[in-house]
Structures are given as structure tokens and as C-alpha cells.
Amino acid sequence: MRKILIAALMLAPAALVAPASAQTANDRVLTIFGNDPCPKDTICVRGSEADRYRIPKQFRNTGPIAPGNQSWGARAQRTIDAGAKTGTGSCTTVGGGGWTGCYLQQMQAARAERKADAEAAPDVKP
């Protein structure tokens, strides 16, 4: 029993050294940007100059922003737009003033059409 304990104690420092040497190999990989020089004894991965000051892709959050992390302006806009799909100001049959949104859409389309016609027409001077 004593020999097993002594053998285990002698192997313990070797087990601690092995992961440390593997970790230093990973520390020698460096991402450099543009024409920056690569340090000696280092493996360099060259990135584009446009990505120099960007957050790395593995740390970017591309999903929807949680309501607790949104700005107060975005949250306030959400409350303003709460009834925009139905009722007054919308172009639906739901709600008492649904026709007002249809009229607004027709007027905006007419203005855009008139502006496009004016830009497409040649300048004719009398």
C-alpha cells in the first residue's frame, strides 16, 4: 500500500506539468491585422485591417436583444407602436378609424408617384 502511495505522489507533479505545456502552445497563436509584424516563436493568423477594432465573431451576439438589454428609446417606441396594426391610423377593417390609415397610405403613394414623375420628366423651358 505504501508503494502505491509513493508512486502516486511521484506521478502527481508530472500530471500537473503536462496540461501547462499544452496551454503554452495555444498561447503562441496570435491574430495580427494588416501589415503588422509577427513576433518570433509565435504562430500568427493574419486578419483583415477592417476587423482590427471589431468584437471577434465568437463573442458577437447575433440573436434578438433581450428586453432588459434594450435601450430605453427602443422600449418607448415599442409602447408607441403597440396599436399601430389595428385601429386608428391603420389600413384595416378593425377599429373605428381604420379608414384614416388607408387615406394616409393613398396620399403617400400619390406624393411618391408625383415626385417620381417630376424627376423623370425632362426639364422643358418655354
Side-chain angles (χ1 to χ4, degrees):
M1 180 71 166
R2 192 174 232 170
K3 289 181 181 179
I4 294 173
L5 182 61
I6 293 172
L9 289 174
M10 293 184 78
L11 292 176
L16 294 175
V17 173
S21 63
Q23 187 177 9
T24 58
N26 290 337
D27 290 341
R28 293 183 182 186
V29 177
L30 179 68
T31 303
I32 59 173
F33 301 97
N35 295 327
D36 294 346
C38 182
K40 292 181 181 179
D41 298 331
T42 305
I43 299 170
C44 294
V45 177
R46 197 166 290 277
S48 69
E49 185 65 32
D51 291 338
R52 181 183 293 264
Y53 298 108
R54 294 209 54 193
I55 296 173
K57 287 184 182 180
Q58 66 265 23
F59 298 120
R60 294 182 207 163
N61 186 4
T62 58
I65 299 172
N69 294 336
Q70 288 181 348
S71 68
W72 67 268
R75 285 183 276 159
Q77 188 64 40
R78 221 177 34 236
T79 60
I80 292 170
D81 295 339
K85 294 183 180 180
T86 61
T88 304
S90 67
C91 187
T92 65
T93 58
V94 178
W99 62 272
T100 58
C102 291
Y103 178 73
L104 179 65
Q105 287 179 3
Q106 290 171 356
M107 291 306 298
Q108 288 174 343
R111 285 183 188 142
E113 184 179 339
R114 191 172 46 216
K115 184 178 178 183
D117 288 344
E119 290 175 354
D123 290 332
V124 179
K125 294 183 182 179

